[in-house]
Amino acid sequence: MQHQDLWRALAFLLAGLVLGLLTGAMAWSLLAASVAYITWLHHGLAELLVWLRHRKEHEPPEHPGVFEEVTLEVDYLRERHKKRKKKLASYLKQFQNATRALPDATVVLDVDDEVRWANSAARRDLGICWPEDVGQRITNLVRTPALRAYIEASRGQEGSTIEIEGPMDAERYLSVLTAPYGVDQRILVARDVTQLHMANQIHADFVANVSHELRTPITVFQGYLEMLRDQQNQAPAAWQPALEQMSAHARRMQNLVEELLLLSSLESELRVPQPSTVDIPALISDIHGRARELSGADEHLFSFEIDGSLCLNGARAEIDSAFSNLVFNAVQYTPARGVIRVRWYRDELGAHFAVEDNGIGIAPEHLPRLTERFYRVDPSRARDQRGGGTGLGLAIVKHVLARHGATLDITSTPGKGSCFRADFPSTEIRLRQPAAVEVAHETG
Ligand code: ADP
């Protein structure tokens, strides 16, 4: 309490005492003095309250002492708050100007994938408007199924990207990325990659055209070479080794051309155009037969653990090409009588096709580059393998998986073996009766 207030309280008390002495009713006088003091305080508080509520129309209370102090303090705090608000407003303006200038569409999503904020590029590229769409689930707002599937599948696995046709303009291509942001939120960024896409398209078209043009002459060469080899008695004996070699190389070139054409067709569309339910257990059983044939005299030890109920939504020929590539690679890069374990199973994350071998393995520095076209750990060795590796197998696998929303996980230890695992999202799983797990162990 201020001195002034203390003196004022004492003055009221003193007035009560004097009145008590004069009237002889001390208790009543003191009570009257106290009531008068409380009334004075109450009046001061009432004035203060009116001023706080309607500051613009009312003057500050003129009560001296503590009321004056409170009035000054409130004025000071208000002034400080005003300055802070101004500063924040200027920061906000700067931030809005910066995000407006950002060419990439940016959307902040909360834990339920509801829109919290979006910049103006998001309106142009994704059709997401801020503040109108705040609180709406992004999957209800975007029209592209691939983007919807990516947003649902990428929660918890932020960092992966997807390329999609622009939802607002099919002539444009966007590369979309999600990243963790704040507490339980994430940020979605969509960048225009139309130019890059066009350049890749020109490149892919060139490769496809050249491959296509080469296909017929190679088939003709191969046909004549086969004919000459078959008629051994008509060709001079000295030519036989040359014919063998020419045949082997023509076969290799044919494989290369076929795989380049396949790769080009896979690259032309981001998703499988007309997916249908693929009987994966039957497909794996077919691959099993072909793998045994490829293994031949090497007699690899195969083990297949297959969930008989687990099917996929996709393109059969593509999945066949991806899965057989992984199994045939295991055969190629595992010495005779090595063990190859193939598993097809599901868990809470989705469906998985895993091929494990105890073959030559791969050094860690090669792993990130394995799915590049023509990348081989040891090119000289690859040429000696059965059928001649083209170096395109894993690039095909990667594209097929991407078109099915799946990813490839590779782990390997040199000299011990490798594990190639394709992970499919739960959204692509199709189940059928019965949910049995088939296990087959055998020698090749
Ligand atoms: P290739 O036609 O040469 O087999 P791929 O694209 O299928 O081409 O594989 C790329 C490279 O990855 C191979 O050359 C090989 O070095 C390595 N590789 C693939 N699978 C395996 C495996 N199971 N074990 C060891 N190395 C492998």
Side-chain angles (χ1 to χ4, degrees):
M1 198 188 262
Q2 300 282 315
H3 284 300
Q4 213 182 353
D5 296 305
L6 194 64
W7 284 119
R8 188 174 301 110
L10 283 176
F12 270 93
L13 195 63
L14 201 64
L17 277 173
V18 173
L19 196 66
L21 285 174
L22 289 176
T23 58
M26 184 58 79
W28 283 110
S29 304
L30 285 177
L31 183 66
S34 306
V35 168
Y37 185 63
I38 290 170
T39 309
W40 183 85
L41 281 180
H42 182 264
H43 181 248
L45 278 174
E47 272 193 353
L48 187 66
L49 197 65
V50 169
W51 175 69
L52 283 174
R53 283 189 183 151
H54 314 281
R55 233 163 39 95
K56 282 195 182 130
E57 299 101 67
H58 289 266
E59 287 298 307
E62 281 179 359
H63 274 65
V66 72
F67 292 108
E68 202 173 31
E69 299 266 330
V70 170
T71 316
L72 288 175
E73 195 62 29
V74 167
D75 259 342
Y76 168 72
L77 286 176
R78 279 214 165 117
E79 210 46 49
R80 212 168 67 173
H81 176 69
K82 223 155 101 183
K83 274 191 195 148
R84 268 202 199 151
K85 220 164 119 181
K86 223 165 142 184
K87 215 159 149 187
L88 276 176
S90 116
Y91 284 152
L92 191 65
K93 201 159 180 77
Q94 274 181 31
F95 174 72
Q96 280 175 341
N97 285 343
T99 53
R100 202 167 296 135
L102 264 183
D104 298 344
T106 311
V107 185
V108 174
L109 301 173
D110 70 8
V111 68
D112 296 319
D113 283 343
E114 289 174 358
V115 174
R116 295 290 288 267
W117 179 85
N119 68 352
S120 40
R123 181 186 290 260
R124 182 196 64 210
D125 294 344
L126 301 171
I128 295 171
C129 310
W130 183 82
E132 296 92 314
D133 291 336
V134 168
Q136 298 244 44
R137 275 182 85 94
I138 188 168
T139 41
N140 295 338
L141 296 171
V142 290
R143 298 173 201 168
T144 316
L147 182 57
R148 276 210 293 264
Y150 166 77
I151 291 168
E152 273 162 8
S154 65
R155 177 158 283 289
Q157 305 175 16
E158 282 79 10
S160 62
T161 53
I162 182 183
E163 198 177 303
I164 54 158
E165 267 177 19
M168 308 302 288
D169 178 358
E171 303 275 290
R172 295 175 67 210
Y173 286 84
L174 302 174
S175 167
V176 183
L177 165 88
T178 57
Y181 174 78
V183 181
D184 277 347
Q185 297 186 359
R186 54 184 182 152
I187 196 161
L188 180 142
V189 181
R191 169 166 293 179
D192 188 330
V193 289
T194 312
Q195 297 287 333
L196 193 67
H197 183 86
M198 299 298 246
N200 285 342
Q201 192 61 50
I202 292 168
H203 174 241
D205 286 351
F206 173 74
V207 173
N209 288 338
V210 172
S211 307
H212 196 75
E213 292 301 320
L214 284 174
R215 197 187 217 172
T216 317
I218 292 171
T219 312
V220 173
F221 287 155
Q222 220 191 349
Y224 280 121
L225 285 167
E226 295 288 335
M227 204 176 75
L228 281 171
R229 271 195 332 145
D230 290 348
Q231 297 171 353
Q232 286 184 0
N233 43 357
Q234 291 183 24
W239 289 14
Q240 285 309 320
L243 287 176
E244 291 289 338
Q245 268 203 24
M246 283 162 73
S247 267
H249 282 286
R251 231 181 356 256
R252 227 177 86 74
M253 276 174 76
Q254 196 175 29
N255 283 346
L256 190 65
V257 164
E258 295 300 337
E259 292 202 339
L260 277 173
L261 281 170
L262 175 61
L263 206 51
S264 300
S265 76
L266 291 175
E267 280 172 346
S268 64
E269 290 256 13
L270 299 170
R271 298 285 297 182
V272 174
Q274 280 169 333
S276 59
T277 302
V278 182
D279 184 345
I280 302 291
L283 185 139
I284 295 177
S285 143
D286 186 45
I287 294 174
H288 187 173
R290 284 182 272 151
R292 262 197 321 238
E293 236 172 73
L294 183 67
S295 170
D298 283 351
E299 296 189 339
H300 291 95
L301 252 73
F302 289 102
S303 132
F304 280 74
E305 294 159 39
I306 309 301
D307 180 339
S309 68
L310 192 52
C311 298
L312 274 182
N313 180 42
R316 190 184 191 281
E318 289 184 22
I319 299 175
D320 183 3
S321 149
F323 285 10
S324 53
N325 249 304
L326 295 178
V327 178
F328 298 167
N329 270 352
V331 174
Q332 285 198 347
Y333 299 104
T334 303
R337 300 201 60 80
V339 178
I340 295 167
R341 182 180 179 212
V342 178
R343 284 177 299 145
W344 174 237
Y345 61 99
R346 75 184 163 113
D347 58 20
E348 65 284 357
L349 296 176
H352 311 277
F353 178 76
V355 182
E356 227 174 309
D357 64 57
N358 64 350
I360 60 171
I362 306 155
E365 65 269 24
H366 297 291
L367 294 182
R369 301 196 56 193
L370 283 189
T371 55
E372 284 175 20
R373 292 167 176 218
F374 299 113
Y375 189 83
R376 294 193 189 102
V377 172
D378 180 355
S380 57
R381 191 183 191 288
R383 265 184 207 107
D384 299 337
Q385 302 302 306
R386 299 169 189 79
T390 57
L392 292 174
L394 291 180
I396 291 173
V397 172
K398 188 179 128 185
H399 273 89
V400 169
L401 295 187
R403 280 159 61 93
H404 289 81
T407 51
L408 182 65
D409 179 84
I410 310 171
T411 46
S412 187
T413 313
K416 291 224 162 112
S418 315
C419 178
F420 287 74
R421 197 188 66 226
D423 300 323
F424 292 84
S426 313
T427 45
E428 303 300 316
I429 291 179
R430 300 289 179 269
L431 289 179
R432 64 150 202 223
Q433 313 277 330
V437 175
E438 294 163 15
V439 181
H441 300 278
E442 57 169 279
T443 53

